[in-house]
Amino acid sequence: MTGVDAASIRVVACDIFGTTVDWRTGVAREVARTAAEHGVELDAGAFADEWRDRYLPSMERVNRHERDWAYLDTLHRESLDELLDVHGVADAFPDAARRRLVHAWHRLPAWDDAVEGLTRLRRRYVLAALSNGGFALLTTLVKAAGLPFDCILSAELARAYKPAARAYLTATDLLDVDPAQVLMVAAHKWDIDGARQAGLATAFLERPLEKGPVRTADRAADVTSDLAVTGFDHLADVLGC
């Protein structure tokens, strides 16, 4: 951890899934509800984990130009269809149920420290959501969770997914700032690594329960970043907000 000059930062850009909102709780809850309504027994938490496991590989195929651009709802739907086949329950989930499950990613609960901590940060900095989520998804999610972002910088605007440099640099271009003036906040090593390689300042935010009670979340000890914090309130303290 090398530290960062708070006076040099103009924008605090925050990852969303896992960093700002609890994707696993929200998705597992909707999986459980939808499965029960259709008479299917599924381990909702394990299913959510398997769905998330397909997240990065699906985006990597887009970044490697192995397929045309597709926004995250499309990738989520394709992964969902594959998983339902793998579990042998595809026939039990009609299209409407599948669309409802995909839209579970549009409404996820914020972590307890998120709204207050982000509000403090926003008093001093431009506060941006910088996420691989689609623009409509993020707009709905931010509104439903009451997250006080000044703007949404979706990967859809760059047509490239983090951790590709273009995803971060499109954001800096749109906000007319140098990469070093942006502090990228994320709970994932791959996101911090991508932002750092693109020239952004970085803050790793630990979320020990992001992957649930069994799997191990990324840890600060394993990540190279300018700052390491335990929540948005801690980050606000460090930056003097």
Side-chain angles (χ1 to χ4, degrees), residues 6-21:
S8 70
I9 299 300
R10 293 178 57 189
V11 177
V12 173
C14 304
D15 173 59
I16 297 300
F17 302 122
T19 303
T20 309
V21 300

Side-chain angles (χ1 to χ4, degrees), residues 40-62:
V40 176
E41 290 188 12
L42 279 178
D43 182 328
F47 191 92
D49 291 338
E50 291 179 65
W51 200 356
R52 176 71 172 185
D53 286 344
R54 294 168 184 251
Y55 175 75
L56 283 176
S58 69
M59 294 185 295
E60 286 170 2
R61 288 191 289 274
V62 175

Side-chain angles (χ1 to χ4, degrees), residues 185-197:
V185 185
H188 311 109
K189 182 180 184 301
W190 60 265
D191 202 353
I192 292 293
D193 288 348
R196 190 180 70 254
Q197 291 164 14

Side-chain angles (χ1 to χ4, degrees), residues 121-135:
L121 291 164
R122 185 172 181 251
R123 294 183 188 130
R124 181 170 181 178
Y125 302 102
V126 171
L127 192 64
L130 177 46
S131 170
N132 284 330
F135 199 86

